[in-house]
Amino acid sequence: MNKFSTATTLVALTLTLTSCGMFDVDDPYVGGDFAKLVQKEQEWGDTVKVIDNWGIEDSYRERIYSHKPEYFEFEAHGFLNEITIGVRVECDENGGKMTVSCLRNLRNVNWPYGPDIVFKDLDGNKMTNNDGYTVRMLDSMKVGKRTFKDVLEFDATGAEESSCNFDKFYVAASDGLLRIDLQDSITIERKP
């Protein structure tokens, strides 16, 4: 094959891929490992039983809505601890946006629950926003005897002025709430 023929083939291939959207950077997406949150069609609500390291049991009402590959929303409301957690991931042409909300004593309130903690242009598997909050995707996490895949970890320990009443929470993309680490070294975990 001569140079002209090779160049013509490459130009034709590039035009074909571009017309099919393969190189279209304006299509909405979620970047990095955070895309694991939007890879499944699901909509469900449930109540999960949890127990803390003092042996105190609680229940959390939780809901997940995920539309592949554009959107993910998780909400959890505790009864005894009255902890409220919200995570929303929206795709955009810059890698997506994740919004986390957390506050106490807000039963039966629609989104948003509190000050938004926003992560923009998602990339890689760990990001820290300007206020010092961190989100990270874990491949898996073991709780009790069960291992959960594709786990989002939210960490408020690096924030200068945290609006959350806990240090960390962990949410599995398909299974919901796994664990909450409170500010006073109490850990709340999903019961087996």
Side-chain angles (χ1 to χ4, degrees), residues 1-11:
M1 194 179 273
N2 64 33
K3 290 181 182 180
F4 178 74
S5 158
T6 302
T8 306
T9 303
L10 287 174
V11 169

Side-chain angles (χ1 to χ4, degrees), residues 9-186:
T9 303
L10 287 174
V11 169
L13 179 62
T14 302
L15 289 173
T16 301
L17 291 174
T18 302
S19 69
C20 295
M22 297 295 284
F23 295 128
D24 189 1
V25 294
D26 291 337
D27 284 345
Y29 69 100
V30 173
D33 286 348
F34 300 102
K36 294 175 181 177
L37 296 170
V38 295
Q39 293 305 309
K40 184 176 181 182
E41 293 282 338
Q42 60 181 333
E43 182 174 6
W44 57 265
D46 198 4
T47 300
V48 63
K49 301 289 185 184
V50 298
I51 189 165
D52 69 17
N53 50 338
W54 289 90
I56 299 172
E57 295 185 15
D58 195 3
S59 296
Y60 277 75
R61 188 178 66 236
E62 60 182 344
R63 184 182 77 82
I64 284 183
Y65 171 75
S66 179
H67 180 63
K68 178 182 179 179
E70 301 166 356
Y71 191 79
F72 174 86
E73 186 170 7
F74 171 78
E75 301 173 2
H77 312 279
F79 292 94
L80 181 62
N81 288 310
E82 295 184 345
I83 293 173
T84 299
I85 296 169
V87 177
R88 185 175 56 224
V89 177
E90 300 169 79
C91 296
D92 65 29
E93 61 279 352
N94 295 318
K97 176 175 89 170
M98 180 183 299
T99 305
V100 177
S101 293
C102 50
L103 272 183
R104 193 174 196 123
N105 299 323
L106 290 172
R107 288 188 187 167
N108 301 319
V109 176
N110 291 326
W111 188 280
Y113 302 116
D116 286 342
I117 302 162
V118 179
F119 301 86
K120 294 182 180 179
D121 306 331
L122 301 172
D123 191 20
N125 72 343
K126 181 179 180 182
M127 294 193 69
T128 302
N129 75 359
N130 294 339
D131 298 323
Y133 296 98
T134 301
V135 287
R136 179 169 63 138
M137 286 302 295
L138 307 173
D139 289 332
S140 64
M141 179 178 179
K142 190 170 184 175
V143 177
K145 294 181 180 182
R146 187 169 171 202
T147 301
F148 297 88
K149 294 183 182 275
D150 301 329
V151 176
L152 172 69
E153 174 192 65
F154 171 79
D155 186 347
T157 58
E160 290 183 26
E161 293 183 29
S162 178
S163 62
C164 301
N165 57 346
F166 50 81
D167 286 335
K168 295 181 180 183
F169 70 74
Y170 301 84
V171 173
S174 296
D175 300 291
L177 184 64
L178 301 180
R179 188 170 98 192
I180 301 172
D181 296 339
L182 299 180
Q183 294 169 339
D184 53 6
S185 71
I186 293 176

